[in-house]
Amino acid sequence: MTVAQASVSGPILFGRYAFGPNRLGYCGTEDHDAVLGYTAAGEAGVIRGLARTFDGAYPYLELIAAANAIDDPLDRRVVEAYWLGSPLLARVTPSRLHRSIQDRFRPRLSPATWRRMEAGLAVGAAPVHAFHVLEVFPRVGLLRGGPADDVLAVMDACRIRWGTVRIVDSGTLVVDVVPLVERAGRLELGPARSEVVERWVDGLGFVGDVVPGDVISLHWGWACDRLEERQLANLVDWTARELRVVNQVGKR
């Protein structure tokens, strides 16, 4: 079962991207079946309540909404800006983002690590999910269950990736995905490679109508959404921007 993209509200779009890490127990409510089921069914009111349990993502939504005079942090424009990037991010001033990150994360960091994070904030970081993955996660370590052994692999799984569907199977897709790689201490995007990603759990998912050639978004090995050209362009652009920031600051 899936809900047509054109009818997807902000809360449902949030659920589509939040379910990937939620099902693995990394963030949000422990009722993973609820996130999947109510998102697939388009039950925006329920997802609106569950979204507040995602204490990594929700403050960014509040920040983006406030900076753009949007009353609802789960307005579709805000949700899309956080996960994929959009011009709304440019209205979040460096000082606003600095205060938010300082309040949330400075108590967990050593003075030296905080200075490195501040350096990223000073050279153009934005409250997009790619910033959280590339700058906040490796310094703070925000996976439930302890630190990750392979930080690069975790960052690649955690960021919102994009890829072209090649094969549609019953519960999976074969997708040519653009990966994150490290070369000479710099984080870059490598050549596309084929991966098998999940799209159904017990008959529920969000991309039931995809066909070979479609471009989709991925989060923790889960197919989130079919991307329009505009959305893909934003995701590629804002990922590249945050990579420039992290590489300008230097090694993690």
Side-chain angles (χ1 to χ4, degrees):
M1 179 170 61
T2 187
V3 176
Q5 184 181 32
S7 65
V8 169
S9 65
I12 298 306
L13 189 66
F14 179 84
R16 288 187 174 190
Y17 284 93
F19 176 67
N22 178 254
R23 70 184 179 132
L24 300 174
Y26 292 152
C27 58
T29 175
E30 295 182 2
D31 192 353
H32 316 312
D33 291 341
V35 176
L36 174 62
Y38 288 116
T39 298
E43 295 287 347
V46 180
I47 298 302
R48 181 175 293 280
L50 294 174
R52 290 185 176 274
T53 69
F54 290 80
D55 54 7
Y58 202 81
Y60 289 112
L61 300 179
E62 293 178 311
L63 185 65
I64 297 166
N68 286 275
I70 297 173
D71 293 336
D72 182 9
L74 288 171
D75 183 289
R76 181 185 168 107
R77 295 168 296 172
V78 174
V79 173
E80 191 171 300
Y82 172 63
W83 291 117
L84 304 180
S86 90
L88 268 62
L89 299 173
R91 296 175 184 164
V92 181
T93 63
S95 61
R96 273 188 189 236
L97 180 58
H98 185 282
R99 285 195 302 271
S100 176
I101 297 302
Q102 179 175 263
D103 291 345
R104 295 175 65 193
F105 302 117
R106 185 173 184 178
R108 310 187 198 187
L109 302 175
S110 69
T113 302
W114 171 247
R115 284 194 295 272
R116 294 184 68 81
M117 187 174 289
E118 277 193 309
L121 295 169
V123 295
V128 65
H129 183 66
F131 160 73
H132 187 77
V133 171
L134 297 173
E135 275 290 277
V136 176
F137 167 74
R139 303 191 194 286
V140 181
L142 294 176
L143 287 184
R144 288 179 187 164
D149 294 327
D150 188 341
V151 174
L152 181 64
V154 171
M155 286 195 297
D156 200 26
C158 186
R159 75 185 179 91
I160 307 303
R161 301 187 295 162
W162 60 90
T164 303
V165 175
R166 295 305 178 197
I167 299 173
V168 178
D169 204 346
S170 57
T172 61
L173 304 168
V174 177
V175 183
D176 288 347
V177 181
V178 176
L180 186 67
V181 298
E182 187 168 7
R183 296 192 180 102
R186 292 176 56 85
L187 293 178
E188 301 175 359
L189 297 176
R193 65 190 183 200
S194 291
E195 295 184 15
V196 177
V197 301
E198 291 185 78
R199 69 175 182 131
W200 293 116
V201 174
D202 296 330
L204 298 177
F206 313 138
V207 294
D209 55 352
V210 295
V211 297
D214 284 345
V215 178
I216 63 170
S217 51
L218 313 167
H219 197 193
W220 283 103
W222 176 259
C224 303
D225 204 5
R226 187 175 63 247
L227 294 176
E228 301 169 358
E229 289 185 11
R230 170 190 58 80
Q231 293 172 313
L232 174 61
N234 278 335
L235 179 55
V236 171
D237 181 48
W238 285 93
T239 299
R241 290 183 188 211
E242 292 306 320
L243 284 171
R244 288 194 293 270
V245 168
V246 72
N247 287 325
Q248 184 172 342
V249 171
K251 291 184 178 181
R252 299 181 304 283

